[in-house]
Amino acid sequence: MTVKPVSTSAARLHPFHGVLLGGAFAFFFATLLSDFAYIASYHIQWSNFASWLITAGLLLSALILLSAVVSLLRPAYRVKAFVIYTVLLLLICALALLNALIHARDAWAVMPTGAVLSDIVMLLAALASWLGFSRFGVGGAA
């Protein structure tokens, strides 16, 4: 089954929404890399970097979720795919918050739970980015 982009008259992501979506994925991917660096080296600073990156990704994800919820008020966005996208963003925010709380613990207590949560959040962020950009695209939404 192929996913076809919607027509230009249907729901499209605002360009700012697209920038935030790409940025959140980048922060969560960098978090995963920092966790892997911590596992490989046990330098505590890598755990600190991961914590900061999770916080930045969580902030962007919350703004994306807020934007998606506001968009659901408009009739053009009340389609099944956009509702699934919004629920996926809510799941990302919840798991990223849990991951931030895990990473706030002592550095020795972060692993392996922190790395597993970072994997899951990064994969969900990749899925949300793919769904958002492939299904809706970025266009001049008002």
Side-chain angles (χ1 to χ4, degrees):
M1 181 172 117
T2 59
V3 177
K4 297 178 184 173
V6 293
S7 68
T8 56
S9 63
R12 299 192 61 77
L13 298 180
H14 190 277
F16 187 66
H17 185 110
V19 168
L20 293 177
L21 189 59
F25 171 74
F27 280 125
F28 290 133
F29 185 71
T31 299
L32 183 64
L33 294 178
S34 293
D35 280 343
F36 286 156
Y38 177 69
I39 290 170
S41 68
Y42 293 108
H43 288 286
I44 293 173
Q45 193 61 32
W46 286 113
S47 178
N48 294 336
F49 288 156
S51 183
W52 300 335
L53 291 164
I54 292 167
T55 302
L58 183 58
L59 177 64
L60 291 184
S61 295
L63 291 173
I64 297 165
L65 178 62
L66 179 64
S67 172
V69 168
V70 169
S71 294
L72 280 175
L73 299 174
R74 298 170 55 192
Y77 290 88
R78 290 186 197 137
V79 293
K80 183 178 177 181
F82 199 80
V83 172
I84 291 171
Y85 171 73
T86 305
V87 169
L88 185 60
L89 291 173
L90 179 63
L91 183 61
I92 289 169
C93 286
L95 289 176
L97 178 61
L98 179 62
N99 198 13
L101 294 174
I102 295 293
H103 276 80
R105 298 189 301 187
D106 181 56
W108 295 103
V110 171
M111 296 301 155
T113 310
V116 171
L117 279 173
S118 293
D119 286 337
I120 293 169
V121 170
M122 194 277 303
L123 290 173
L124 290 175
L127 180 63
S129 297
W130 174 79
L131 181 63
F133 289 127
S134 69
R135 178 68 172 99
F136 304 106
V138 177

